[in-house]
Structure formats: structure tokens, C-alpha cells
Amino acid sequence: MSALLEATDMWQSFGGVQAVRGMSLEVSRGTITGLIGPNGAGKSTLFNLLSGVIRPDAGQVSFKEQDITRLAPWRRARLGLIRTFQLAREFQRMTVLENLMFAPQLQLGENFWPIFLRPGAVCAQEAEVYRRACEVMEIATLTNLRDDYAGDLSGGQKKLLELARTLMIDCDLILLDEPGAGVNPALMNTLTDMIWRLNREHGKTFLIVEHDMDMIAQLCDPVVVMTQGSLLTKGGFDDLRRDPAVIEAYLGSVANG
């Protein structure tokens, strides 16, 4: 499988703290790649480097064989690289449907002149966005909540909405930052199934940071393990869970509380 995203020799420090140290990562097209490690391993900082939230002290990020190291997050999004956040960032006083319809970029109705000069095109595009939003709500099992305010949703429902919003954008790679955080067990199964379906049926590639090892085991292959800002190892989850270095660095610490 070809590499969709590559990070090479990434370095990032904050004051005297070296958060990422020579980290390299590759995400192959069509995979659900997991990124795990203990607290403080540098996972969140690496995610911010990949998505453009911060710029690295050194290193390179390539997406679709294009150097995006210095591109702003919105430019990366237009290339097809989207991320979610651990804390959902919905528009709380907008409905589920409105949140989805607001997501697509470069809508004609967002500009002044097309409303007057191209009203037919504006209406046609809005109708297509509405059709797509209804389709996405079905995929995310949110149809019965379409008219509810996003701020009134549960934590798990907000995660489903945030993931659904990424589907309103023409994207190839979705970076998920702890999608399982704060999600109850019933909705966790729905969320896991949605990610699996988006990968298998809709061709979306994922990079997932997650502490829930059950989710990682169900979804991710390969799995990348970070510790102290660097790559520890990578491979299939079944192999990693028996790796003494991984047990010591992460899985063992989780098991011990």
C-alpha cells in the first residue's frame, strides 16, 4: 500500500521540554493506523504537528507526496487531511443538521455576490449539501437527532457528530484524537462500527490516537507505539501486546492502574 501521509524526523520542544524527538511515522492509504503510548509520550504534540496546529522545530510532513510542513490547517483540509479533537468542537446553538450543512468548504452562499448573480447555482448547491447531510446522518445514526441543538447532545453523540462533519468534506485522511474519550459503552460500539464502515465502505484512511485498547484491538492495523517523544516500535496489535518493551512502556502501566 502506498504512503498517504509521511512524517520524517520530527522534533518539537516547548521551553526546556523535548516533546517530540526524531519521530517518524507513515500512514498507508486504506489503513486504520493506531498511535498509542503512555501519557506524556508526545502523541498529542505529534498530532498537532501533522495537522498544522503547530509547526515543527525540525522535520518534514508529506501528504499525497506533497510537502505540507508549513501549510496552515485549513490548507491541509482542502488537500483532504482532516482532524478531530479530544473535546468535540461543535456549534452548540446550531442543530445537528445545521452543523453538518455548515461543514463543507467554499460554498457559494457564503459569499455576497453569488447570492444575487447566481441564485440558481446557490440553491442547487444548498440542495446537494442538504442531501449529503441527510445521507451522513444515516451513516452516523443521528437522523433522529437532526433538529436537536448540538450543545444538548451527550458526549458520545457529539463525537459521532464531529466524525460526521468530516464526511461533509471531501477528505482522504481523518486524524482522530481519542474518539472514545467520554463515550459510554453503548455508543462506543456505534462509533467503532462507524469508523470501520467508513474505512471499508467509503475508502477513508484513519490515524487514531486512543487509550482504549479494546478499540485499538478491534480497528487498528498497524499500531505505532511512542514513548518519550520517539518511536518505540510498530506492528500488529496481537504482537505488540506480547512485546516486553511495549508492556513495560504502556500496556503494563495501564494494567497496573
Side-chain angles (χ1 to χ4, degrees):
M1 291 177 286
S2 61
L4 185 60
L5 176 74
E6 289 184 276
T8 306
D9 199 21
M10 305 294 290
W11 292 81
Q12 182 64 47
S13 62
F14 302 101
V17 178
Q18 195 75 60
V20 175
R21 304 187 300 169
M23 178 67 187
S24 295
L25 174 75
E26 180 178 300
V27 178
S28 296
R29 187 181 296 273
T31 64
I32 304 177
T33 300
L35 178 62
I36 67 173
N39 290 330
K43 305 183 301 297
S44 294
T45 300
L46 180 63
F47 241 49
N48 287 333
L49 294 171
L50 297 176
S51 59
V53 174
I54 57 178
R55 291 184 176 181
D57 295 331
Q60 180 178 346
V61 182
S62 297
F63 180 63
K64 299 180 181 177
E65 300 183 344
Q66 176 178 337
D67 186 352
I68 62 169
T69 309
R70 301 297 171 184
L71 290 187
W74 66 271
R75 291 190 179 276
R76 300 182 195 216
R78 287 190 178 177
L79 290 175
L81 191 160
I82 303 293
R83 75 162 291 177
T84 67
F85 293 84
Q86 183 177 350
L87 298 176
R89 299 188 175 187
E90 73 287 345
F91 296 102
Q92 297 192 14
R93 301 317 299 168
M94 294 172 66
T95 66
V96 168
L97 175 61
E98 290 168 342
N99 265 269
L100 293 177
M101 292 190 66
F102 188 75
Q105 305 174 79
L106 303 176
Q107 295 189 57
L108 292 174
E110 295 175 352
N111 298 300
F112 180 77
W113 288 114
I115 296 175
F116 296 96
L117 300 179
R118 302 176 61 194
V122 171
C123 290
Q125 186 183 63
E126 185 170 327
E128 174 58 25
V129 170
Y130 174 79
R131 183 201 65 78
R132 178 61 178 161
C134 292
E135 180 181 278
V136 166
M137 283 189 291
E138 283 289 333
I139 295 172
T141 65
L142 291 171
T143 302
N144 62 324
L145 300 171
R146 56 175 285 162
D147 296 320
D148 289 13
Y149 286 117
D152 296 334
L153 302 180
S154 70
Q157 290 167 340
K158 289 179 180 178
K159 290 295 182 73
L160 288 171
L161 175 58
E162 185 162 26
L163 184 53
R165 286 171 60 189
T166 68
L167 296 184
M168 295 297 297
I169 304 170
D170 186 16
C171 63
D172 301 289
L173 174 61
I174 304 172
L175 309 182
L176 297 182
D177 189 359
E178 298 196 31
V183 180
N184 66 48
L187 277 179
M188 180 69 86
N189 291 332
T190 302
L191 182 63
T192 300
D193 181 65
M194 182 179 176
I195 295 170
W196 187 90
R197 288 177 57 200
L198 292 177
N199 175 253
R200 298 299 193 275
E201 299 174 11
H202 297 267
K204 303 299 182 183
T205 301
F206 289 89
L207 175 63
I208 302 177
V209 168
E210 182 56 63
H211 285 292
D212 188 310
M213 291 299 102
D214 288 336
M215 174 178 273
I216 292 292
Q218 289 180 52
L219 288 175
C220 299
D221 186 20
V223 177
V224 178
V225 186
M226 284 186 73
T227 185
Q228 298 180 355
S230 302
L231 174 67
L232 176 63
T233 187
K234 61 182 178 180
F237 184 80
D238 287 341
D239 293 329
L240 294 179
R241 70 193 306 173
R242 294 189 292 268
D243 187 320
V246 175
I247 294 171
E248 176 65 24
Y250 184 65
L251 297 179
S253 65
V254 172
N256 292 329

